[in-house]
Amino acid sequence: YQAMEVSRLVESASVGVDPARVAKLLKLLEVDQSWNLTTVSDGQRRRVQILCKLIKPFKILLLDEITTDLDLLARNDLLLWLREESEQRGVTILYCTHIFDGLDDWPTHLHYLCDKGHTGWQGKIGDLELYKKLRSEGEPSPLLRIAESWLRAELVAKKEKNDACRERRKESGSTKSFS
């Protein structure tokens, strides 16, 4: 895979796909088919991986930190294309990220996975009271503030739980340490 020329990857991944879609993605991601994967940057390699993932049309797409290694323009262009895919073709895109810049108008729904995979808040973003409050106050990055508040609350709860465990151990005379 690493020593392969990008044109061979595109050729094998695009069998049966509308050539206009392939051309649009090549242009969008600024992928040069003559690239060899052993000589490109991490960002270029990441764009090729994204291209291969998106070439075939999909109904549901799970993207986990897909914009890692992309520059600002490539990231924004990709997010615009994904929104277009969702709105025009009716596809569902699950986008997992820790980078919230520029996403405030992007999601229709949020699902917060808490510590150890437990479900936190989930639903339409417009139903989240904190989101509505932050938007009405003119907060420039409401998603970032929401994520920050959820994560800080998790840290406080974890600290309180650890403190309570330490106190119980102290009361029982146990010297075991738990992390």
Side-chain angles (χ1 to χ4, degrees):
Y1 176 79
Q2 287 288 358
M4 188 179 291
E5 189 173 277
V6 171
S7 62
R8 290 181 58 207
L9 282 173
V10 171
E11 183 181 331
S12 67
S14 63
V15 173
V17 177
D18 179 6
R21 179 182 179 87
V22 176
K24 185 173 185 175
L25 283 166
L26 284 165
K27 183 177 179 184
L28 170 85
L29 295 166
E30 296 180 2
V31 171
D32 182 335
Q33 292 193 70
S34 68
W35 287 345
N36 184 308
L37 292 179
T38 60
T39 60
V40 296
S41 70
D42 289 343
Q44 290 168 325
R45 189 173 298 109
R46 184 69 171 152
R47 289 187 298 196
V48 171
Q49 291 169 339
I50 293 168
L51 170 70
C52 290
K53 177 77 174 174
L54 300 178
I55 278 182
K56 291 195 186 275
F58 47 86
K59 291 186 189 263
I60 298 175
L61 184 63
L62 175 60
L63 303 172
D64 187 9
E65 299 291 351
I66 193 170
T67 59
T68 302
D69 295 325
L70 295 183
D71 63 48
L72 175 70
L73 297 177
R75 179 179 182 271
N76 286 344
D77 289 346
L78 176 60
L79 290 173
L80 287 172
W81 184 85
L82 289 169
R83 172 178 262 177
E84 182 181 294
E85 280 286 283
S86 178
E87 291 172 351
Q88 291 180 2
R89 293 192 331 99
V91 301
T92 298
I93 300 170
L94 299 172
Y95 181 50
C96 306
T97 188
H98 292 91
I99 304 169
F100 297 95
D101 296 340
L103 290 181
D104 292 301
D105 294 321
W106 202 78
T108 57
H109 293 70
L110 287 179
H111 186 120
Y112 175 53
L113 291 177
C114 302
D115 188 34
K116 298 185 177 148
H118 299 171
T119 294
W121 191 90
Q122 62 181 348
K124 291 182 180 179
I125 192 166
D127 293 343
L128 181 58
E129 290 301 322
L130 181 55
Y131 182 78
K132 291 190 276 191
K133 177 182 178 285
L134 291 169
R135 288 296 259 193
S136 71
E137 293 171 352
E139 168 61 47
S141 298
L143 282 179
L144 177 63
R145 296 294 158 242
I146 290 165
E148 179 183 22
S149 71
W150 287 342
L151 293 171
R152 289 192 186 283
E154 265 190 51
L155 286 174
V156 167
K158 190 174 186 177
K159 183 183 181 324
E160 289 171 354
K161 181 179 176 184
N162 287 342
D163 289 348
C165 286
R166 262 196 274 331
E167 189 60 35
R168 282 193 302 274
R169 282 193 312 273
K170 186 177 172 183
E171 290 170 358
S172 71
S174 174
T175 58
K176 282 186 178 179
S177 176
F178 298 97
S179 298

